[in-house]
Amino acid sequence: GVAGTNQDGRFNGEGWLSLLAISVGHFGIATCYQGAVEYYWHRCMHTRLLYSRCHKHHHAHKSPGPFDDMCIHPLEV
């Protein structure tokens, strides 16, 4: 059966700590993965070919605000 369930498939209260640890671990892995992908994608946007055609719009703001990260060219999405 699934951890934390009894023979009937009902939650028995045991194993919740391991389930929590697995969930936190998966969240951490997903966060690190997403951050790495975003970093390298942003570095790719700074190449000579893509910066002037797509990414320059993202850096047009002189005083950045909290939502400027969403100000991107449609091809960057």
Side-chain angles (χ1 to χ4, degrees), residues 39-52:
Y39 171 78
Y40 286 111
W41 179 256
H42 191 242
R43 294 296 300 164
C44 183
M45 287 291 120
H46 279 262
T47 60
R48 190 176 306 209
L49 176 68
L50 296 174
Y51 186 80
S52 61

Side-chain angles (χ1 to χ4, degrees), residues 2 4 10 12 15 20 23 26 28 30 32 37 48 53-54 68:
V2 177
R10 293 179 299 186
N12 64 8
L20 178 65
S23 298
H26 285 173
C32 291
V37 168
R48 190 176 306 209
R53 290 180 175 92
C54 297
D68 287 346

Side-chain angles (χ1 to χ4, degrees), residues 17-73:
L17 191 57
S18 63
L19 183 62
L20 178 65
I22 290 169
S23 298
V24 168
H26 285 173
F27 180 77
I29 290 168
T31 301
C32 291
Y33 175 78
Q34 191 274 336
V37 168
E38 185 174 344
Y39 171 78
Y40 286 111
W41 179 256
H42 191 242
R43 294 296 300 164
C44 183
M45 287 291 120
H46 279 262
T47 60
R48 190 176 306 209
L49 176 68
L50 296 174
Y51 186 80
S52 61
R53 290 180 175 92
C54 297
H55 194 63
K56 190 175 184 179
H57 179 72
H58 172 73
H59 290 284
H61 300 282
K62 299 301 177 197
S63 178
F67 298 107
D68 287 346
D69 190 38
M70 303 306 289
C71 186
I72 57 175
H73 192 274

